[in-house]
Amino acid sequence: MFQIKGQYAHIFMKKRIIYSSLLLVFIYTFSSFIVEENQKKKFVVVLDAGHGGSDPGNRGNGYKEKDIALNVVLTIGATLEKDDRFEVVYTRKTDKFVELHERGKIANKAKADLFVSVHCNSHRSQASGTETFVLGLHANDENFNVAKNENSVILLEDNYEAHYDGFDPNSPESIIGLILMQEEYLDQSLTLASYVENGFNKSLKRKTRGVKQAGFVVLHQTYMPSVLIELGFLTNNKEGKYLNSKKGQDQMASSIVGAIVNYKESLDSIYQVSEPEPERSSVTNIDSLTTAVGEKVYKGIIFKVQIGAGSNDIELKSGNFKGLDQLSKVQFGEVYKYYFGSTSNYSLIKELREIAVKKGFDSSFVVAFKEDQIIPLTEALKVNTSPN
């Protein structure tokens, strides 16, 4: 074995000790970085139980909206906390009053991936059904009235004019004046809202009034995909009794958990695909791509690239969508979603998404349909495939 002797041996040993120390520091730092990165991978969900404390919410049939919303939120949170993929943050866990602007601050401070606000509806009639709202300009008087009722809580707050820049919950002009800071999150919010309503309808057989847009202040305050869920009408004799029961609250909570999990897994599927990548193609014509990519198809599944969403009904002309063709749209309640491409070939739809991104639709993403109903992407990719 080669040995170093004399004066150089001492120098060599000192350097060796220094290098070893540096290596240990590097390993420790790198390990800490990995741990920190793994911790960051948790999907942060902020759960907001509407009303609370001095604000009871609506009192349809003598029930308390604030109590029902809190029970459902705590049940959702307890389930998600058992899943290592999620971190749950609450705007309130007890019967206390939390100002609307504080709820938004809690979500923003937590750097949440999702904000879910839970409420119950009311009406002077026996109206019934669930509704899930995303932020937007109210499309009709009914939506405005729902938003007005939920926003009116700010009148209980001290110095509310300063917190909300003169916002008046009774004024349609104030609703229209809300700056849509959340616009970039609209597509994601609509996707989650669709999962929520589909779950209520399919799993629980609840009547759904659909996905809607309205100017809710609590949604306006957040900077992440956000929805406000109206579980149903306490003023409806049958529905109110159901929502006030433990069975009803547990079932509604379980359905919302399913929607949140489906939403997260669908996001994961966009980037984590087990299917082998096809050979890259430089062609941009859809018909040519079908030939170039065609490997296998998912039976009964139609994939599309969602390129936009909003309350405006836009004509499906190439010029309106930066030159893209083979366009389609679907109306979800009062919201229109716009799609590019339509195929059962998942490899092809990923190619089409890249085309959409190059055209400027940076936030576009893949969605899946089965029997004309949107389903989680993870569910679609479990379907048996066959050669194309």
Side-chain angles (χ1 to χ4, degrees), residues 265-273 346 353 365-366 377:
E265 291 182 347
S266 291
L267 287 182
D268 293 343
S269 295
I270 294 174
Y271 304 104
Q272 301 172 2
V273 182
Y346 188 65
R353 179 179 176 271
F365 56 95
V366 175
L377 199 52

Side-chain angles (χ1 to χ4, degrees), residues 284-285 307 318 320-325 327 340 351-364:
T284 57
N285 177 272
I307 55 176
S318 179
N320 291 337
F321 294 89
K322 303 180 181 180
L324 294 179
D325 57 5
L327 301 162
F340 166 53
E351 293 270 7
L352 298 185
R353 179 179 176 271
E354 290 187 9
I355 292 174
V357 170
K358 289 177 181 177
K359 288 286 189 178
F361 296 97
D362 296 337
S363 61
S364 61

Side-chain angles (χ1 to χ4, degrees), residues 144-171:
F144 169 69
N145 287 329
V146 174
K148 184 173 70 173
N149 289 337
E150 300 296 359
N151 292 337
S152 63
V153 64
I154 71 173
L155 298 176
L156 299 177
E157 302 178 19
D158 295 330
N159 198 25
Y160 78 87
E161 295 92 341
H163 290 313
Y164 304 101
D165 298 323
F167 177 83
D168 178 1
N170 297 309
S171 166

Side-chain angles (χ1 to χ4, degrees), residues 72-214:
V72 170
V73 156
L74 293 177
T75 304
I76 295 170
T79 304
L80 289 178
E81 285 169 344
K82 295 176 183 177
D83 189 327
D84 291 337
R85 296 174 297 173
F86 293 93
E87 177 183 343
V88 179
V89 177
Y90 302 86
T91 59
R92 70 179 181 98
K93 296 184 73 174
T94 59
D95 182 19
K96 69 176 184 178
F97 178 65
V98 182
E99 297 180 351
L100 290 187
H101 71 96
E102 286 297 330
R103 297 171 191 252
K105 283 183 180 179
I106 291 170
N108 295 331
K109 184 178 179 180
K111 297 181 180 179
D113 296 290
L114 209 57
F115 178 85
V116 179
S117 188
V118 176
H119 294 255
C120 300
N121 227 329
S122 66
H123 200 267
R124 59 185 176 275
S125 70
Q126 283 293 301
S128 63
T130 64
E131 296 175 309
T132 301
F133 287 88
V134 299
L135 185 64
L137 301 182
H138 65 288
N140 56 39
D141 289 339
E142 183 180 357
N143 284 9
F144 169 69
N145 287 329
V146 174
K148 184 173 70 173
N149 289 337
E150 300 296 359
N151 292 337
S152 63
V153 64
I154 71 173
L155 298 176
L156 299 177
E157 302 178 19
D158 295 330
N159 198 25
Y160 78 87
E161 295 92 341
H163 290 313
Y164 304 101
D165 298 323
F167 177 83
D168 178 1
N170 297 309
S171 166
E173 288 75 20
S174 280
I175 294 284
I176 294 171
L178 284 175
I179 301 171
L180 297 182
M181 297 182 216
Q182 261 214 335
E183 188 172 354
E184 63 181 295
Y185 303 114
L186 181 59
D187 280 352
Q188 295 97 315
S189 300
L190 287 167
T191 298
L192 173 62
S194 297
Y195 289 159
V196 170
E197 287 301 309
N198 287 344
F200 288 155
N201 183 246
K202 289 185 176 180
S203 301
L204 301 182
K205 308 302 180 186
R206 309 300 301 173
K207 175 184 175 182
T208 173
R209 298 163 67 93
V211 176
K212 300 181 178 181
Q213 288 184 280

Side-chain angles (χ1 to χ4, degrees), residues 262 265-266 269 301 370 375-383:
N262 284 338
E265 291 182 347
S266 291
S269 295
I301 301 297
K370 183 177 182 180
I375 63 171
L377 199 52
T378 47
E379 180 181 327
L381 294 177
K382 293 176 183 176
V383 173

Side-chain angles (χ1 to χ4, degrees), residues 30-45 83-88 110-111 113 264:
F30 183 73
S31 300
S32 299
F33 172 77
I34 294 297
V35 171
E36 185 177 345
E37 284 300 300
N38 287 336
Q39 290 174 343
K40 286 182 179 178
K41 288 179 181 178
K42 286 208 172 188
F43 193 82
V44 180
V45 180
D83 189 327
D84 291 337
R85 296 174 297 173
F86 293 93
E87 177 183 343
V88 179
K111 297 181 180 179
D113 296 290
K264 184 201 181 305

